Amino acid sequence: MKNITIIGAGYVGLVTGSGLSEFGNRVVCADIDKNKILDLNSGKIPIYEPGLDEIVNRNVNSERLSFSYDIPASIKNSEVIIIAVGTPQTEKGDANMFYVDSVVDTIVQNLDGYKIICTKSTVPIGTGNKIINILKKSFSEGIDFDYVSNPEFLREGSALKDFLWPDRIVVGTTSKKAYGIMCDIYRLLYINRNPIKHTNIETAEMIKYASNSFLALKISYINEIANLCESVGADIHDVASAMGQDGRISDKFLHPGPGFGGSCFPKDLESLNAISKEKNIKMETLNAAINANKNQKEIMAIKLENLIEGGIENKKIAVLGLSFKANTDDVRESSSIDIINFILKKGGIVRAYDPIANHSMSKFFREISYFDDVYDAINGSDGLVVMTEWNEFRALDLPRIKKIMNNAYILDTRNIISMLELSRLGFVYDNVGRVKI
Ligand code: NAD
Ligand code: UGA
């Protein structure tokens, strides 16, 4: 069991920190955002992630997990330093390495003995070797380190489950000693089965981008098939479920929707695209996935406009679901942003509701109305669009909605509302790729 510092206490840093302390390690989550650390130290969890508060509290109480903004001290007291800061997209599309670079600077200034420097942030292939060169150049004789790429595969909304029961853990390093230490910090997982994949650094970095891109590609593919289903009288649910019964395809990530969003797929595809351009390697499938996703968001807007008789101008539209997927308060690159922008551009009035993401979205849109109750948002509206697959929206009281809506138009971009009931109650509705009843 090791002393570990995780630099960056965001989605990945906090989940990794609580998960590794649950495995018995002593972990400090360090962040430059002093307010975030003060909140964490007073028991406030800055993000919504199911189960996170419980596991954080348990490990804080057992003194295996703590939080600090004194990054130099945290580095000095740990044998393994994990970098988990953001790598957002630049305007050019490649990954912005500013945060990783500044963490490497801090590490250089505070390394005082053998340590493992491990990157969990998603970084362009070749970053590991750049970091190794910076560290080697900066060190005086006698200071030793090893480098590991340990990409993270958790999903927001099911992050703890993904971290504690991962399909695989990728450890990219050329050092036997570092590999042994990494196996040790994940030892509890290692006891029951061996999910650890040992590779070189570049391979580990590539596995992360290749995995995210493949999943995004799968979503774009099923979205395009869904769009075609509508034109030929086929039903996407039957198509996807039958496709998924083929083990070679698998039924995961075959749900059509309003286009993928989030803080990772969009930026990671662009980043891999930038890398492939730099290396002069054509990646047509990647570009297709990116373009198909842009189209999908536009198609949702067109669907909404076509559905509501007389257009959107001056109409009140209830937008249900603001986060990019269910079970998170993260609205980064959410398709809801695109639909809200579209409604506003067309002169419509947005009445927004999300069980937990109203606050996050209010940083993007101040001018729209947010509601704490779903039926208050729907009351008096001329149209309703479901953007996120929250369970709450699967069990909407449709007869009540029919009574309180001004006009009964519903666009269900997640295909979660019963078409039978919509049709029985006389709603005019649309969804993605279904044979309408
Ligand atoms: P985030 O924005 O939630 O958190 C990043 C944290 O780093 C912030 O709290 C910020 O204050 C802190 N930070 C920035 N600069 C710092 C510095 N110099 N020193 C200390 N702290 C600093 O980001 P995230 O969503 O956790 O993503 C982190 C990385 O992990 C990204 O590369 C992302 O692509 C990757 N990733 C994210 C997910 C996910 O589901 N969010 C999953 C797998 C991988
Ligand atoms: C994704 C990957 O699934 C994680 O393995 C990875 O670690 C993470 O990115 C990352 O690198 O940050 P995440 O973005 O949290 O995780 O969520 P997903 O469940 O993958 O959903 C991404 C988007 O795709 C959402 O907008 C979701 O609604 C959409 N999606 C997903 C679909 O439209 N259809 C599907 O079948 C699945």
Side-chain angles (χ1 to χ4, degrees):
M1 297 299 118
K2 298 292 170 194
N3 287 333
I4 300 169
T5 284
I6 297 175
I7 307 184
Y11 283 88
V12 168
L14 271 182
V15 171
T16 303
S18 48
L20 290 180
S21 56
E22 184 84 355
F23 295 159
N25 299 286
R26 200 172 285 273
V27 183
V28 180
C29 288
D31 203 290
I32 39 165
D33 183 340
K34 196 170 170 182
N35 287 333
K36 190 177 265 191
I37 296 300
L38 292 176
D39 275 355
L40 283 161
N41 277 330
S42 66
K44 254 193 249 160
I45 308 287
I47 53 169
Y48 176 86
E49 186 60 48
L52 187 59
D53 48 355
E54 195 190 321
I55 187 173
V56 165
N57 288 338
R58 186 165 57 241
N59 286 287
V60 167
N61 291 338
S62 332
E63 297 185 353
R64 285 193 299 261
L65 179 63
S66 59
F67 307 102
S68 173
Y69 49 83
D70 186 349
I71 300 173
S74 310
I75 292 173
K76 285 181 180 143
N77 293 330
S78 298
E79 190 178 351
V80 181
I81 316 296
I82 298 180
I83 304 171
V85 294
T87 48
Q89 194 180 319
T90 68
E91 273 184 13
K92 269 178 16 210
D94 55 350
N96 180 346
M97 296 301 286
F98 172 80
Y99 305 99
V100 172
D101 291 345
S102 74
V103 171
V104 172
D105 258 8
T106 313
I107 293 174
V108 163
Q109 285 160 30
N110 292 286
L111 214 62
D112 57 353
Y114 176 79
K115 291 184 199 304
I116 289 182
I117 314 302
C118 167
T119 301
K120 211 171 235 317
S121 298
T122 304
V123 291
I125 301 119
T127 299
N129 275 327
K130 281 187 191 152
I131 295 178
I132 291 173
N133 287 334
I134 294 171
L135 292 171
K136 274 187 181 159
K137 269 192 209 149
S138 319
F139 287 146
S140 52
E141 290 275 310
I143 294 189
D144 196 11
F145 74 92
D146 278 313
Y147 183 83
V148 173
S149 165
N150 175 216
E152 183 48 56
F153 299 98
L154 62 81
R155 288 164 297 173
E156 288 179 25
S158 56
L160 282 168
K161 184 179 143 288
D162 292 341
F163 190 87
L164 299 172
W165 291 276
D167 292 328
R168 78 299 208 189
I169 295 164
V170 175
V171 177
T173 183
T174 47
S175 155
K176 270 194 187 154
K177 180 176 173 183
Y179 178 66
I181 292 174
M182 292 305 289
C183 287
D184 199 25
I185 72 172
Y186 285 110
R187 199 175 62 87
L188 282 195
L189 287 169
Y190 198 67
I191 287 171
N192 296 332
R193 56 194 180 97
N194 186 353
I196 298 188
K197 178 103 186 147
H198 185 191
T199 67
N200 70 17
I201 295 166
E202 293 82 355
T203 306
E205 292 168 341
M206 179 56 109
I207 289 170
K208 176 64 197 175
Y209 276 113
S211 303
N212 270 8
S213 304
F214 185 76
L215 291 170
L217 220 143
K218 209 172 166 187
I219 298 167
S220 274
Y221 180 77
I222 206 66
N223 281 340
E224 289 200 325
I225 292 289
N227 300 337
L228 188 55
C229 277
E230 287 181 12
S231 298
V232 297
D235 190 278
I236 191 62
H237 280 207
D238 291 334
V239 172
S241 78
M243 281 172 70
Q245 282 171 318
D246 184 332
R248 294 170 302 173
I249 297 174
S250 117
D251 59 355
K252 307 282 188 305
F253 278 66
L254 280 185
H255 300 286
F260 57 77
S263 66
C264 293
F265 283 170
K267 76 151 170 73
D268 289 348
L269 264 68
E270 293 289 355
S271 174
L272 189 58
N273 204 15
I275 297 166
S276 73
K277 276 190 190 143
E278 192 191 306
K279 300 289 174 196
N280 222 358
I281 301 291
K282 270 195 178 169
M283 291 202 63
E284 304 286 8
T285 50
L286 200 59
N287 278 299
I290 295 169
N291 291 334
N293 200 49
K294 283 185 192 136
N295 287 345
Q296 193 65 11
K297 293 180 176 192
E298 282 167 21
I299 288 168
M300 294 307 114
I302 294 165
K303 270 179 178 287
L304 185 65
E305 192 168 37
N306 289 344
L307 183 70
I308 296 177
E309 210 187 313
I312 288 171
E313 197 175 359
N314 294 326
K315 301 278 172 57
K316 292 181 190 138
I317 314 291
V319 176
L320 305 194
L322 305 174
S323 55
F324 78 98
K325 60 180 283 190
N327 295 320
T328 179
D329 59 353
D330 197 343
V331 300
R332 290 179 280 183
E333 299 289 324
S334 171
S335 298
S336 306
I337 295 176
D338 300 77
I339 206 87
I340 291 172
N341 270 326
F342 178 77
I343 297 168
L344 295 178
K345 199 177 89 192
K346 291 283 170 178
I349 300 145
V350 174
R351 298 168 67 83
Y353 169 79
D354 190 286
I356 56 161
N358 280 355
H359 179 67
S360 317
M361 194 58 105
S362 66
K363 293 173 196 155
F364 285 81
F365 296 100
R366 286 178 189 282
E367 69 273 40
I368 65 175
S369 311
Y370 296 91
F371 294 84
D372 293 330
D373 178 89
V374 67
Y375 298 100
D376 287 346
I378 296 168
N379 198 10
S381 61
D382 301 289
L384 181 166
V385 54
V386 174
M387 293 302 295
T388 314
E389 73 285 21
W390 285 102
N391 274 343
E392 183 180 345
F393 304 151
R394 295 176 201 269
L396 287 172
D397 182 345
L398 291 174
R400 179 176 170 192
I401 290 176
K402 183 79 195 315
K403 279 194 201 127
I404 62 175
M405 276 184 88
N406 203 17
N407 283 302
Y409 296 111
I410 293 192
L411 172 60
D412 174 12
T413 70
R414 297 285 182 168
N415 293 354
I416 55 175
I417 302 182
S418 158
M419 291 191 290
L420 201 61
E421 218 188 327
L422 284 173
S423 138
R424 194 175 56 79
L425 290 165
F427 281 96
V428 179
Y429 69 92
D430 196 5
N431 44 29
V432 186
R434 309 281 337 248
V435 175
K436 310 290 179 300
I437 293 173

